[in-house]
């Protein structure tokens, strides 16, 4: 079964899967959760971790090298049902998964903070914050640091280097409430 056929199957059957993603030569990352939607280019996942549903991520289909749903995943899925977490799986709005620009434009209209990850071997870095501007080749994020301070100007991220984005996680929701701008003493 081809990757897109597996993605479709697990989406339709509402099964928690593990995606093995090759993000660069010799480097693989995993994503766990429920596939909510997909296109030939991107997958929208409702992430799960430690028996909790926690936010969404979008990853490129071309990275996915394996979709796992084995006996352990089946049992994990059953525990999610017993814990009533499965009832939380879903999203209240549609995201156009045709390209990064359309994805970021929708998230920007929702005024959501995002984590943009570049997980490759050469570029291994993430940016966290609100979306300031989208373009044909780049997105601009106003980064905030671990003390909640915004940078003075937005970071520009090339779509080609993005391997994963996350939004509406508990971390982003809580941290986003406590961001701040530096004050300049006069």
């Amino acid at each position: 079964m081809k990757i897109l056929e597996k993605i479709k199957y697990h989406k339709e059957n509402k099964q928690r899967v593990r995606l093995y993603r090759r993000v660069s030569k010799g480097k693989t990352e995993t994503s766990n959760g429920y596939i909510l939607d997909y296109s030939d280019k991107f997958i929208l996942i409702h992430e799960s971790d430690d028996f909790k549903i926690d936010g969404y991520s979008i990853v490129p289909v071309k990275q996915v090298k394996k979709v796992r749903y084995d006996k352990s995943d089946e049992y994990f899925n059953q525990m999610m049902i017993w814990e009533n977490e499965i009832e939380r799986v879903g999203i209240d709005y549609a995201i156009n998964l045709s390209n990064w620009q359309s994805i970021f434009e929708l998230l920007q209209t929702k005024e959501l903070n995002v984590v943009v990850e570049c997980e490759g071997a050469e570029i291994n870095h993430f940016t966290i914050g609100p979306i300031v501007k989208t373009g044909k080749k780049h997105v601009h994020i106003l980064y905030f640091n671990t003390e909640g301070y915004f940078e003075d100007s937005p970071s520009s991220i090339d779509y080609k280097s993005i391997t994963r984005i996350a939004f509406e996680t508990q971390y982003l929701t809580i941290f986003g409430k406590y961001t701040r701008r530096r004050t300049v003493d006069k």
Side-chain angles (χ1 to χ4, degrees), residues 24-38:
S24 67
K25 187 177 180 181
K27 187 170 181 192
T28 301
E29 295 289 339
T30 59
S31 295
N32 300 305
Y34 295 86
I35 298 168
L36 298 179
D37 199 3
Y38 66 95

Side-chain angles (χ1 to χ4, degrees), residues 28-81:
T28 301
E29 295 289 339
T30 59
S31 295
N32 300 305
Y34 295 86
I35 298 168
L36 298 179
D37 199 3
Y38 66 95
S39 69
D40 60 337
K41 295 186 179 177
F42 296 98
I43 306 167
L44 170 62
I45 305 161
H46 206 161
E47 297 252 337
S48 66
D49 188 35
D50 294 333
F51 307 104
K52 294 286 182 197
I53 297 298
D54 185 24
Y56 305 96
S57 67
I58 296 175
V59 298
V61 170
K62 69 180 181 183
Q63 290 178 357
V64 179
K65 300 306 172 197
K66 180 180 175 184
V67 179
R68 189 188 83 184
Y69 184 76
D70 60 15
K71 294 279 186 197
S72 62
D73 296 304
E74 185 178 348
Y75 192 62
F76 191 101
N77 197 59
Q78 186 59 52
M79 288 187 281
M80 294 291 282
I81 293 168

Side-chain angles (χ1 to χ4, degrees), residues 73-124:
D73 296 304
E74 185 178 348
Y75 192 62
F76 191 101
N77 197 59
Q78 186 59 52
M79 288 187 281
M80 294 291 282
I81 293 168
W82 292 331
E83 290 295 314
N84 298 316
E85 283 294 300
I86 198 87
E87 297 166 8
R88 297 181 52 219
V89 174
I91 191 165
D92 295 338
Y93 48 90
I95 300 176
N96 178 347
L97 296 173
S98 59
N99 57 56
W100 281 126
Q101 185 175 2
S102 65
I103 292 166
F104 283 113
E105 284 174 350
L106 182 275
L107 298 177
Q108 184 179 19
T109 64
K110 295 270 182 202
E111 298 180 354
L112 296 173
N113 285 316
V114 296
V115 171
V116 178
E117 295 184 65
C118 304
E119 302 163 299
E122 298 81 31
I123 304 172
N124 187 6

Side-chain angles (χ1 to χ4, degrees), residues 141-154:
I141 306 293
L142 188 57
Y143 176 83
F144 60 79
N145 66 21
T146 56
E147 295 176 8
Y149 286 111
F150 285 109
E151 293 292 315
D152 293 333
S153 60

Side-chain angles (χ1 to χ4, degrees), residues 130-147:
I131 301 161
V132 175
K133 180 182 170 189
T134 60
K136 293 195 183 298
K137 296 181 180 182
H138 298 86
V139 64
H140 301 266
I141 306 293
L142 188 57
Y143 176 83
F144 60 79
N145 66 21
T146 56
E147 295 176 8

